[in-house]
């Protein structure tokens, strides 16, 4: 299902047929370093993760992480969306892109488009989390108008995760 379009991107719900892309994305070094190792090593595991993750969340909550594609070609380049994590009180703005698409403004474009979308869904406060070492994400969240709140610890071995937030009028 198409969620929204920007000048260069289209965001749509993730489907089991997106498993090859998902498998590639979650196994990139940047994803593993900054988001975590999901332990997904096969197409079947990727399909199962899509069904139990984004598809289930979309069905239950009306929002999830979405596939981000280039509008002209339909090429998948990343994921961005609104995630409700058990470890956070608020809905989280999340995104991840393949490294070959870094530095072209795609993450900002997708994330900026998700702010009014979240507002339309009735989300009044949106948060985002990132590691202190992820300079690009820290800068992007500030550029979106999000404010650093505090360092939180999401797991016993967490070295500290930076929590940002924004109120959506």
């Amino acid at each position: 299902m198409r969620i929204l379009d920007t000048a260069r991107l289209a965001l749509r719900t993730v489907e089991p047929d997106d498993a090859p892309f998902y498998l590639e994305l979650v196994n990139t070094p940047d994803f593993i370093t900054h988001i975590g190792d999901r332990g997904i090593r096969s197409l079947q595991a990727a399909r199962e993760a899509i069904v139990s993750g984004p598809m289930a969340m979309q069905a239950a909550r009306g929002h999830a992480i979405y596939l981000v594609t280039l509008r002209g070609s339909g090429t998948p380049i990343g994921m961005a969306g609104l995630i409700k994590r058990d470890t956070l009180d608020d809905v989280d703005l999340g995104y991840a892109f393949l490294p070959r698409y870094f530095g072209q403004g795609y993450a900002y474009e997708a994330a900026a488009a998700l702010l009014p979308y979240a507002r339309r869904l009735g989300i009044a406060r949106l948060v985002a989390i990132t590691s202190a070492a992820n300079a690009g994400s820290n800068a992007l969240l500030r550029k979106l108008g999000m404010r650093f709140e505090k360092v939180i610890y999401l797991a016993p071995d967490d070295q500290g995760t930076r929590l940002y937030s924004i109120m959506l009028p």
Side-chain angles (χ1 to χ4, degrees):
M1 170 175 68
R2 190 67 149 259
I3 300 299
L4 60 87
D5 292 327
T6 69
R8 302 181 296 164
L9 307 172
L11 279 71
R12 67 165 173 81
T13 52
V14 186
E15 302 168 359
D17 288 345
D18 298 316
F21 169 78
Y22 189 75
L23 179 64
E24 179 184 2
L25 179 68
V26 301
N27 285 294
T28 61
D30 283 302
F31 190 101
I32 291 168
T33 298
H34 296 298
I35 297 172
D37 187 350
R38 300 288 190 248
I40 298 169
R41 302 291 186 262
S42 69
L43 285 175
Q44 183 59 34
R47 281 186 204 93
E48 291 169 4
I50 289 168
V51 170
S52 65
M55 290 180 68
M57 185 174 291
Q58 182 68 31
R61 296 190 168 273
H63 59 77
I65 192 93
Y66 302 116
L67 188 75
V68 179
T69 64
L70 295 175
R71 277 186 68 184
S73 65
T75 302
I77 65 169
M79 297 180 79
L82 306 170
I83 308 160
K84 180 59 187 94
R85 301 178 195 275
D86 293 338
T87 54
L88 297 173
D89 292 333
D90 299 291
V91 174
D92 172 36
L93 173 67
Y95 51 85
F97 286 79
L98 292 174
R100 62 185 169 271
Y101 297 102
F102 287 4
Q104 299 176 57
Y106 293 131
Y108 177 78
E109 187 173 331
L114 284 163
L115 296 181
Y117 179 71
R119 203 173 305 128
R120 286 194 302 275
L121 293 177
I123 297 169
R125 175 181 145 91
L126 190 63
V127 300
I129 54 175
T130 189
S131 65
N134 192 340
S137 279
N138 282 283
L140 187 150
L141 296 174
R142 287 190 304 273
K143 185 176 177 181
L144 286 171
M146 298 188 96
R147 294 178 197 230
F148 171 73
E149 280 191 10
K150 61 185 175 181
V151 173
I152 60 174
Y153 299 89
L154 300 173
D157 62 342
D158 188 352
Q159 299 292 322
T161 298
R162 296 176 60 86
L163 177 71
Y164 288 83
S165 69
I166 189 169
M167 296 304 294
L168 302 174

